[in-house]
């Protein structure tokens, strides 16, 4: 008589590698399907990703936290009036609405080295959790290097390119944006940072440098702040950004 099968889930022989990554690898199988536990984990991760996309930017809390830097703060909005139009019309998220344009023009900027924008992007959760923590490390570096910073801009329904317009209107040499990245199934809280030298509306991605996956389980706050500072300083020194600006930090001089 055949003994009843106690375990129907077949482990993947590469399962030991899962201890080195949060990626969904070596999940095992039950017959030709995923084990029930893994299928449920996938659905939970997908739910977290959707929650991140529709999360709200905690702009008042971020505004209060930014007071430590003693700089003016502007609340601005893209041309995307709500989340639905932001998701369906990416072009609207790249440009400022009329009120924001008037607000920044009326400031009559005297000119700065860097303009920093904080935008929700595709994960307000990421920005809510990480933006201020990174700035707390970055701002002292900029101050020590005598790099002047324009008023902060907190942007709702904003995509990466919106920082080009804010930087231009505030007459900054360089624009830096901290923004929520598109959530994945293992990370719904990744924040990205993009910088553009000589920002102006209409630039494309090759004009920008990107630092990605900023979060405690990815690129940590200290490492991210140091990388931003390096790229900001080099961009201002060489007067370039994007594909022409290389990250040579840590390389030996030969």
């Amino acid at each position: 008589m055949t003994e009843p099968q106690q375990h129907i889930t077949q482990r993947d022989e590469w399962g030991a590698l899962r201890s080195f990554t949060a990626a969904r690898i070596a999940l095992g199988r039950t017959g030709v399907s995923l084990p029930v536990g893994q299928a449920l984990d996938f659905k939970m991760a997908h739910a977290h990703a959707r929650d991140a996309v529709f999360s709200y930017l905690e702009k008042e809390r971020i505004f209060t936290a930014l007071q430590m830097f003693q700089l003016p703060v502007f609340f601005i909005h893209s041309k995307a009036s709500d989340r639905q139009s932001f998701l369906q019309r990416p072009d609207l998220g790249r440009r400022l609405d009329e009120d924001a344009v008037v607000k920044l023009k009326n400031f009559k900027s005297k000119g700065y080295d860097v303009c920093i924008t904080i935008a929700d992007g595709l994960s307000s959760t990421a920005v809510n959790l990480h933006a201020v923590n990174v700035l707390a490390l970055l701002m002292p570096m900029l101050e020590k290097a005598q790099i002047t910073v324009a008023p902060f801009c907190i942007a709702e329904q904003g995509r990466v390119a919106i920082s080009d317009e804010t930087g231009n209107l505030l007459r900054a040499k360089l624009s830096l944006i901290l923004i929520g990245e598109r959530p994945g199934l293992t990370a719904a809280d990744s924040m990205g940072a993009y910088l553009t030298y000589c920002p102006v509306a209409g630039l494309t991605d090759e004009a920008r440098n990107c630092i990605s996956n900023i979060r405690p389980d990815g690129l940590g706050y200290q490492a991210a702040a140091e990388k931003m500072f390096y790229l900001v300083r080099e961009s201002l020194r060489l007067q370039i950004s994007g594909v022409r600006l290389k990250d040579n930090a840590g390389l030996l001089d030969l």
Side-chain angles (χ1 to χ4, degrees):
M1 181 176 178
T2 305
E3 292 292 331
Q5 189 172 0
Q6 299 297 320
H7 301 286
I8 60 174
T9 299
Q10 297 183 27
R11 297 181 181 278
D12 191 293
E13 61 183 6
W14 298 100
L17 296 178
R18 297 188 64 188
S19 62
F20 299 103
T21 177
R24 301 178 65 81
I25 63 170
L27 303 180
R29 64 185 175 88
T30 301
V32 295
S33 303
L34 281 175
V36 171
Q38 295 295 343
L40 293 175
D41 286 346
F42 179 89
K43 290 183 177 180
M44 180 61 77
H46 186 254
H48 285 312
R50 286 182 59 85
D51 286 347
V53 170
F54 289 99
S55 58
Y56 291 95
L57 185 65
E58 297 174 356
K59 57 182 184 180
E60 296 296 341
R61 188 183 64 79
I62 293 174
F63 170 81
T64 301
L66 292 178
Q67 299 309 300
M68 75 172 91
F69 304 119
Q70 299 182 333
L71 288 174
V73 180
F74 286 119
F75 291 114
I76 57 177
H77 205 288
S78 76
K79 286 186 174 181
S81 57
D82 54 32
R83 202 59 173 166
Q84 202 63 33
S85 59
F86 171 85
L87 294 172
Q88 294 178 340
R89 290 283 306 273
D91 56 315
L92 298 180
R94 299 184 183 113
R95 297 300 302 269
L96 294 170
D97 66 9
E98 292 183 6
D99 288 344
V101 171
V102 171
K103 190 182 297 183
L104 297 185
K105 280 184 176 178
N106 288 344
F107 179 70
K108 300 187 185 306
S109 170
K110 62 183 180 181
Y112 299 91
D113 292 320
V114 181
C115 172
I116 299 177
T117 301
I118 300 170
D120 43 12
L122 284 165
S123 173
S124 297
T125 299
V127 176
N128 293 337
L129 292 174
H130 311 315
V132 173
N133 292 320
V134 172
L135 288 175
L137 298 168
L138 175 64
M139 291 297 289
M141 298 182 198
L142 297 177
E143 182 179 4
K144 186 177 181 180
Q146 298 183 324
I147 294 173
T148 58
V149 180
F152 291 108
C153 293
I154 300 176
E156 289 185 277
Q157 312 299 353
R159 293 184 182 267
V160 171
I162 200 171
S163 65
D164 294 339
E165 197 168 8
T166 59
N168 181 266
L169 291 172
L170 290 176
R171 298 179 58 207
K173 297 175 185 174
L174 185 149
S175 183
L176 172 66
I177 184 169
L178 307 182
I179 189 168
E181 295 180 341
R182 185 185 303 276
L185 290 176
T186 58
D189 65 335
S190 286
M191 185 179 75
Y194 295 78
L195 64 89
T196 312
Y197 186 79
C198 199
V200 64
L203 292 176
T204 51
D205 289 343
E206 93 287 348
R208 305 185 184 93
N209 292 83
C210 173
I211 302 170
S212 184
N213 198 27
I214 301 170
R215 60 192 181 103
D217 292 333
L219 184 65
Y221 297 152
Q222 184 67 41
E226 290 176 357
K227 186 67 68 182
M228 282 181 214
F229 175 67
Y230 171 83
L231 290 174
V232 166
R233 190 177 55 181
E234 287 298 282
S235 180
L236 291 172
R237 183 177 71 85
L238 300 172
Q239 301 183 7
I240 56 175
S241 65
V243 296
R244 299 172 59 202
L245 178 62
K246 305 302 181 186
D247 179 6
N248 294 322
L251 298 183
L252 296 175
D253 293 328
L254 300 176

